[in-house]
Amino acid sequence: MSTFFLIAIFLLGFLVTFQIAKASEYVGILKGEKKNFEQNNRINGFLLLAFLVFGLLGVYWCNEALKGRILGEAASEHGQNIDRMLYITIAVTGVVFVITQILLFWFAFKYQYKETRKVYFFSHDNKLELIWTVVPAIALSVLVGFGLYYWLGITGDAPKGALEVEITGKQFAWIYRYPGDDKIFGKKYYKNISDAEDNSLGILWDDKSSQDDIVNEQAMYLVKNRPVKLIIGARDVIHDVGLSHFRMKMDAVPGTPTTMWFTPLYTTKEMKKMTNNPDFVYEISCDQMCGKGHFSMKGLIEVVTQEEYDLWMARQKPKYLAVFPDKDPANAKKDSTVATAAAVDTLKMAASK
Amino acid sequence: MSNEAILQKPADAVVTHGDHREGNGHSEHHHKETFISKYVFSMDHKMIAKQFLITGIIWAIIGGLFSVLFRLQLGYPNDSFPILETLLGKWAKGGKIQPEFYYALVTMHGTVLVFFVLTAGLSGTFANFLIPLQIGARDMASPFMNMLSYWFFWAASVVMISSLFVETGPASGGWTSYPPLSALGGASEGSKTGMDLWLISMALFVVSSLLGGLNYISTILNMRTKGMSMTRVPLTIWALFFTAVLGVLSFPVLLSGFILLLFDRHGGTSFYLSDIYLASTQQALPNEGGSAILYQHLFWFLGHPEVYIILLPAMGMVSEIMSVNSRKPIFGYMAMIGSLFAITILAFLVWAHHMFVSGLNPFLGSVFVLLTLLIAVPSAIKVFNWLTTLWRGNIRFTPAMLFSIGFVSLFISGGLTGIFLGNSTLDIHLHDTYFVVAHFHIVMGVASFFGLFAGVYHWFPKMYGRYLNNTMAYLHFWVTLIGAYLIFWPMHYEGLAGMPRRYMDFSQWVSFNQFGDLNRFISIVSIIVFAVQLLFVFNFFYSIFKGRRVTTSNPWDSNTLEWTTPIRPGHGNWPGEIPEVHRWPYDYGKDGREFIPQTEPVGAQETAH
């Protein structure tokens, strides 16, 4: 019902506008073309000035209203550099924005048609043109300089001893893999992927180094202040590991592994406090169109302290043992399960605080 | 009719040819014009221009309507609209837009507006209409190719429309159609028949664009009237010339990318495919060794010049309209041409800035940062030259002039955010967020639309011999300008929060759900703005038949050649000889005279500009 009501209102508005427009055209003809033109010109000149004033006020107001909703402090070192770069760019472009918009609308208002005004025949001026070629060029060189300095730092090699985690996108979820005690990821081949055989990554189980690999689809655990290098892949189509709180992002391309590294600065718990949001979590958003479930392709990151991480790691079971339960020594000795259960409890308690 | 035939014809034969209302021209002609040859398979560049324009308008309504539909979803993700189910059937089951359909809407909105409206509708219209009229030619170099160009566009339109009605839905992988998603029917419903139709339609579109572009280039280079040297053509012509060059050099690369994609889809090749396991079929594909990134290079090699294909005609028209209505020469004519040229060259050297986070070599990325930010220099020159053109002018705020001023405002706003995105450091965070959406909608979408509107308001009297209604025009301008800023300005903030584009629902995201009310606000504004565009469409069609008649051949007191033709020029444009040109087109306010048409010889006492 309300839909029809809305449509009716629109149609009515249309009709009224049209009648007014038609009428004003006749009135204009009666008034005389010149007088009508001058009146319209004055009104529009005034509106342009009003648009400038209210527009700039609106920009300020919009900033006041929305600045609290952008994500707050960057949660990684790279992210803080990116924010720094952002502020530099906002400062430079902001000045240009305000000056040029003021000039545009002010000139339009000031030099609106007057019968007596003589225009200034001014076709070119090499000096002026040189100035506004060179000044922007210098400003942009500064921005390029800062940008490349940060860019090469961010995309450079990860520091030695960085935690390595593999993350693989599939429609519409993320799979995380840790290399286990040997710190080497086991070999994988995509033709071995089989959801039925619980081998979501196509790991070659014959490879010794694969047998302690830990695969998990719930959350990625990272350590505060410890650099992490993500090895990024995709199983089907292109995805993207989007980490807005860390200000990081990298595509996940099937057939072409990519990497990205950063250092988390705050644990999830600290962020809950800093953002005053008890529901806060680090989310991985897929930032590359990947199909109908794209908008719900969410991953989770838990940033924890080294102790919590060790505890969590201790209770992880290599995927190999889950796929081949008969190889699991735990199935022979009962007491190790008890130990793991205890570790789980500790972690749960830690998390609930 | 070939151009030679027209040129050799006696002068008076063409006089009233174009005006069907006067009804006396037909019998005198050496060839018969039927309804079909005049309005359908016309070879008159002016009629072809109108065909492009009207087809573009229809597409703009469709593309705009798509955006209204997905804005409903974004603004009201938890509500249902039973009327949608009535209209769309299974695509809006229970009054809620289905994910597949949402992505089809987004994809079609982008494709339609970028290619069918702002490429064909903008440069198709004005290149066809203005090139012969402003350089002093009777028609295009090849009127027949020109006609083909429109009809290939028409065929592309038909195929694209038909893809909306196939069982599995239209293409839904985004307007960029990155494989593997677009290559594999198993990955998405939209990548089945819909994607094939999309590719066929786009191939036809490329053919249309190439036929048109070659024609524009050869016409501008070869068919200028006596005295019309390249330094005397209006800036519109320069802009349309560079636009055509961009299109001719980059569209074939896109086509090659599409053909490889078709091979991957149906020929079992592995250009873009490697290491893929599809969950929907529980199968690993045999393809190995391809690179999905290759497609992105081929796509953006057109995709970035495409931005300038859309923008340059608008820049050219704005330069012309600003000068005419400021009653003052365009400032820095040569610098304007130089900056257009610089933009054209650089447009080919910046494509990889769309791929900073695709795994591109960081060093290569840094080269593209440098080249990308370099483009801001010619853009800055243009802006300052426009500002100086206004300075100490005597400005008439015709609707066309208002839209030109609006264009400059939007070009500044959107251009400056390009400096954020072109800097790879910031692009890491902002890539594929609403910041990008805001940026390109302002600088390429809305700004180019403003150029298009400016052109329509300015040259409508030449097209149809009537004026558009001014009151509706002013309302159209103010609502669109204010609306465009209200819609896209806040989106920058969503982007700064990392809010990804192409999400149909943010309510499940802790990081992004704080923008629910803002999204609703944006949706409401966009519906209002869309309604006002319909007002423009109404004004357009109403004024063709009922608008105030033009009574003088030069209603804007303009210098350029199109205003030396009769009010309703026939096929061949000038009833007598084509006028000779003696000066540049921007002698406004010179030596105390308000304007001096290009056809007037330079006086003995006159100072050169």
Side-chain angles (χ1 to χ4, degrees):
Chain A
M1 195 57 210
S2 61
T3 322
F4 289 106
F5 197 59
L6 269 176
I7 293 171
I9 288 179
F10 265 121
L11 283 178
L12 206 68
F14 243 78
L15 211 68
V16 171
T17 316
F18 169 64
Q19 291 301 338
I20 292 173
K22 216 49 215 165
S24 65
E25 193 167 58
Y26 294 132
V27 171
I29 291 168
L30 287 177
K31 251 196 290 195
E33 206 162 319
K34 188 154 177 290
K35 207 168 161 205
N36 188 40
F37 156 75
E38 283 176 352
Q39 192 183 4
N40 275 338
N41 225 52
R42 268 198 304 278
I43 295 172
N44 280 297
F46 172 76
L47 285 175
L48 284 169
L49 190 67
F51 179 77
L52 173 70
V53 173
F54 285 104
L56 290 178
L57 286 176
V59 166
Y60 173 78
W61 180 80
C62 179
N63 186 57
E64 290 301 304
L66 293 177
K67 69 180 179 195
R69 296 198 215 176
I70 54 181
L71 298 174
E73 200 178 338
S76 76
E77 278 174 19
H78 290 343
Q80 298 196 329
N81 284 337
I82 288 171
D83 280 359
R84 226 162 271 144
M85 186 69 226
L86 188 68
Y87 293 130
I88 295 170
T89 312
I90 288 177
V92 173
T93 54
V95 170
V96 178
F97 173 82
V98 172
I99 291 176
T100 48
Q101 297 281 8
I102 288 179
L103 288 182
L104 175 69
F105 289 103
W106 174 246
F107 284 170
F109 174 75
K110 174 133 198 265
Y111 299 107
Q112 60 177 295
Y113 174 85
K114 281 221 181 69
E115 204 172 357
T116 52
R117 196 196 304 283
K118 285 272 163 286
V119 305
Y120 174 46
F121 186 84
F122 189 40
S123 65
H124 72 280
D125 181 324
N126 291 343
K127 204 192 270 173
L128 270 182
E129 284 164 280
L130 195 68
I131 290 173
W132 57 60
T133 310
V134 172
V135 173
I138 293 171
L140 288 164
S141 309
V142 173
L143 291 178
V144 169
F146 275 110
L148 292 187
Y149 171 73
Y150 290 132
W151 166 251
L152 294 175
I154 293 167
T155 56
D157 290 334
K160 283 212 169 63
L163 183 68
E164 290 199 357
V165 187
E166 185 193 79
I167 172 168
T168 306
K170 64 169 185 177
Q171 285 181 325
F172 302 99
W174 297 100
I175 308 165
Y176 318 104
R177 177 162 75 137
Y178 291 77
D181 295 334
D182 64 357
K183 307 241 163 74
I184 300 170
F185 290 102
K187 292 196 177 68
K188 59 177 188 173
Y189 181 47
Y190 82 102
K191 285 191 179 170
N192 282 23
I193 295 176
S194 166
D195 287 340
E197 289 168 27
D198 199 14
N199 191 354
S200 57
L201 294 171
I203 298 170
L204 301 174
W205 296 123
D206 297 342
D207 181 11
K208 277 275 175 227
S209 54
S210 76
Q211 294 179 359
D212 61 348
D213 286 3
I214 288 150
V215 178
N216 146 356
E217 301 200 11
Q218 282 75 50
M220 182 198 292
Y221 277 71
L222 301 179
V223 182
K224 178 184 168 177
N225 289 335
R226 180 167 174 198
V228 54
K229 178 181 178 185
L230 299 183
I231 297 155
I232 302 165
R235 251 174 44 161
D236 34 39
V237 301
I238 302 177
H239 302 278
D240 181 287
V241 182
L243 308 171
S244 46
H245 289 97
F246 301 113
R247 312 283 192 267
M248 294 301 288
K249 193 172 289 154
M250 181 55 81
D251 278 2
V253 186
T256 316
T258 55
T259 61
M260 149 170 101
W261 75 272
F262 59 95
T263 312
L265 292 177
Y266 306 108
T267 63
T268 304
K269 260 184 281 175
E270 285 167 341
M271 281 301 271
K272 280 184 209 280
K273 274 203 204 105
M274 287 164 63
T275 57
N276 269 332
N277 180 2
D279 299 327
F280 175 86
V281 275
Y282 286 111
E283 287 169 318
I284 305 174
S285 54
C286 179
D287 280 350
Q288 188 61 258
M289 177 66 203
C290 65
K292 67 172 176 183
H294 174 53
F295 68 99
S296 58
M297 184 165 166
K298 188 198 294 191
L300 298 177
I301 292 179
E302 284 281 337
V303 179
V304 293
T305 59
Q306 185 69 46
E307 297 82 63
E308 288 167 320
Y309 177 80
D310 292 341
L311 217 55
W312 173 78
M313 197 40 106
R315 63 172 260 253
Q316 299 304 307
K317 202 172 180 180
K319 189 73 182 173
Y320 179 71
L321 300 183
V323 178
F324 304 102
D326 50 316
K327 301 271 171 58
D328 190 351
N331 287 343
K333 293 178 207 160
K334 279 277 153 69
D335 27 331
S336 66
T337 6
V338 180
T340 332
V344 173
D345 288 343
T346 334
L347 195 80
K348 270 186 187 156
M349 279 166 66
S352 63
K353 285 172 200 167
Chain B
M1 185 194 291
S2 78
N3 212 42
E4 285 73 24
I6 310 171
L7 285 168
Q8 284 156 11
K9 242 166 5 131
D12 53 340
V14 236
V15 181
T16 49
H17 186 145
D19 191 354
H20 59 286
R21 279 179 202 84
E22 295 177 22
N24 58 355
H26 290 244
S27 54
E28 299 164 13
H29 283 287
H30 68 287
H31 73 294
K32 256 196 173 161
E33 269 206 321
T34 60
F35 181 81
I36 299 267
S37 74
K38 187 168 175 195
Y39 293 105
V40 184
F41 295 105
S42 172
M43 288 196 249
D44 182 351
H45 70 99
K46 298 186 291 300
M47 184 55 68
I48 294 172
K50 292 173 196 172
Q51 290 173 331
F52 269 109
L53 180 56
I54 291 173
T55 316
I57 288 177
I58 294 169
W59 269 121
I61 298 170
I62 297 173
L65 196 63
F66 288 163
S67 71
V68 167
L69 289 177
F70 65 68
R71 273 314 321 182
L72 272 182
Q73 162 66 30
L74 286 169
Y76 302 90
N78 302 318
D79 295 346
S80 63
F81 301 91
I83 188 169
L84 291 182
E85 191 174 16
T86 322
L87 294 172
L88 301 166
K90 69 168 178 176
W91 298 117
K93 219 178 279 170
K96 291 185 78 74
I97 289 175
Q98 300 298 299
E100 287 276 5
F101 188 62
Y102 176 84
Y103 287 114
L105 285 173
V106 175
T107 305
M108 285 295 139
H109 169 76
T111 310
V112 162
L113 283 156
V114 167
F115 293 109
F116 290 9
V117 180
L118 290 174
T119 304
L122 179 57
S123 68
T125 303
F126 291 102
N128 272 306
F129 193 74
L130 293 180
I131 289 174
L133 282 172
Q134 286 197 331
I135 65 169
R138 302 246 179 235
D139 204 316
M140 284 285 174
S142 167
F144 181 71
M145 258 167 71
N146 210 20
M147 177 183 80
L148 279 186
S149 158
Y150 173 75
W151 286 101
F152 269 99
F153 171 46
W154 188 84
S157 299
V158 170
V159 176
M160 195 60 87
I161 285 273
S162 64
S163 84
L164 298 175
F165 298 98
V166 296
E167 172 75 30
T168 47
S172 62
W175 79 280
T176 51
S177 289
Y178 282 180
L181 182 65
S182 62
L184 305 171
S188 158
E189 287 289 288
S191 301
K192 292 178 175 165
T193 321
M195 192 65 216
D196 283 323
L197 291 172
W198 190 91
L199 287 169
I200 293 167
S201 169
M202 286 307 300
L204 290 167
F205 183 84
V206 172
V207 174
S208 155
S209 155
L210 291 179
L211 286 170
L214 291 170
N215 226 340
Y216 307 151
I217 294 171
S218 40
T219 308
I220 292 171
L221 291 182
N222 296 315
M223 300 188 61
R224 299 188 309 278
T225 186
K226 192 173 175 198
M228 183 67 92
S229 62
M230 282 308 273
T231 49
R232 284 182 184 166
V233 299
L235 286 171
T236 28
I237 300 299
W238 271 109
L240 291 165
F241 175 72
F242 285 125
T243 305
V245 171
L246 279 169
V248 165
L249 295 181
S250 62
F251 265 115
V253 179
L254 177 76
L255 186 60
S256 69
F258 285 166
I259 289 172
L260 299 189
L261 182 54
L262 272 175
F263 284 162
D264 271 7
R265 288 172 58 80
H266 300 294
T269 56
S270 309
F271 291 108
Y272 307 135
L273 305 178
S274 186
D275 297 30
I276 291 166
Y277 173 89
L278 278 182
S280 60
T281 53
Q282 298 278 310
Q283 256 176 349
L285 303 184
N287 313 63
E288 281 183 82
S291 164
I293 304 299
L294 171 63
Y295 174 88
Q296 297 181 19
H297 282 291
L298 294 174
F299 182 86
W300 287 114
F301 192 80
L302 161 93
H304 198 79
E306 173 65 24
V307 171
Y308 295 100
I309 290 174
I310 288 173
L311 207 48
L312 291 190
M315 287 176 166
M317 291 192 289
V318 164
S319 306
E320 170 73 19
I321 292 166
M322 253 193 184
S323 172
V324 172
N325 289 300
S326 302
R327 312 309 295 151
K328 192 167 167 284
I330 189 81
F331 182 78
Y333 175 78
M334 291 308 280
M336 288 305 237
I337 299 173
S339 54
L340 284 174
F341 179 67
I343 289 174
T344 305
I345 299 293
L346 288 171
F348 285 110
L349 301 173
V350 299
W351 78 89
H353 68 215
H354 297 269
M355 299 162 61
F356 285 142
V357 298
S358 67
L360 191 76
N361 182 320
F363 175 72
L364 200 58
S366 53
V367 174
F368 277 96
V369 171
L370 186 65
L371 290 166
T372 301
L373 293 204
L374 219 52
I375 260 194
V377 174
S379 308
I381 294 173
K382 295 200 88 72
V383 167
F384 287 119
N385 282 2
W386 284 320
L387 294 180
T388 317
T389 304
L390 293 178
W391 180 68
R392 294 182 68 181
N394 197 15
I395 305 168
R396 304 181 308 205
F397 298 118
T398 61
M401 183 61 177
L402 287 174
F403 274 103
S404 301
I405 293 170
F407 170 89
V408 177
S409 171
L410 289 158
F411 181 70
I412 294 169
S413 306
L416 288 173
T417 51
I419 293 174
F420 291 66
L421 293 165
N423 208 331
S424 53
T425 303
L426 293 180
D427 188 62
I428 299 173
H429 177 50
L430 298 175
H431 189 86
D432 265 341
T433 63
Y434 267 72
F435 196 91
V436 179
V437 175
H439 161 70
F440 75 75
H441 273 93
I442 289 182
V443 78
M444 173 180 94
V446 187
S448 301
F449 255 108
F450 270 50
L452 175 74
F453 289 136
V456 170
Y457 282 110
H458 192 74
W459 281 289
F460 191 87
K462 189 80 258 166
M463 288 179 176
Y464 295 102
R466 290 169 187 272
Y467 293 101
L468 286 155
N469 180 293
N470 260 349
T471 312
M472 282 194 262
Y474 288 136
L475 189 68
H476 176 214
F477 169 73
W478 283 109
V479 175
T480 311
L481 181 70
I482 294 167
Y485 271 116
L486 286 181
I487 292 169
F488 295 113
W489 191 269
M491 279 191 191
H492 291 104
Y493 287 86
E494 299 184 327
L496 287 173
M499 190 167 116
R501 59 195 280 214
R502 294 170 175 152
Y503 273 27
M504 63 176 285
D505 186 356
F506 294 93
S507 50
Q508 302 307 310
W509 291 82
V510 178
S511 315
F512 314 122
N513 66 5
Q514 70 272 36
F515 290 114
D517 50 345
L518 182 60
N519 283 333
R520 200 163 311 125
F521 170 76
I522 291 172
S523 294
I524 293 169
V525 178
S526 53
I527 291 169
I528 294 171
V529 171
F530 178 71
V532 170
Q533 305 316 304
L534 294 180
L535 186 71
F536 163 76
V537 174
F538 175 79
N539 191 6
F540 182 87
F541 287 106
Y542 179 82
S543 301
I544 290 178
F545 302 106
K546 300 269 181 181
R548 191 157 55 88
R549 274 179 186 275
V550 177
T551 49
T552 147
S553 67
N554 190 359
W556 311 125
D557 291 340
S558 172
N559 288 341
T560 41
L561 282 185
E562 74 269 32
W563 306 106
T564 61
T565 60
I567 293 174
R568 294 157 185 273
H571 197 173
N573 298 339
W574 285 269
E577 296 232 342
I578 302 179
E580 190 182 335
V581 165
H582 300 278
R583 57 176 77 235
W584 77 326
Y586 297 112
D587 274 339
Y588 293 102
K590 187 184 184 191
D591 301 339
R593 286 182 60 187
E594 203 178 334
F595 69 108
I596 313 175
Q598 282 191 281
T599 48
E600 193 177 310
V602 179
Q605 308 296 317
E606 204 181 328
T607 48
H609 76 263

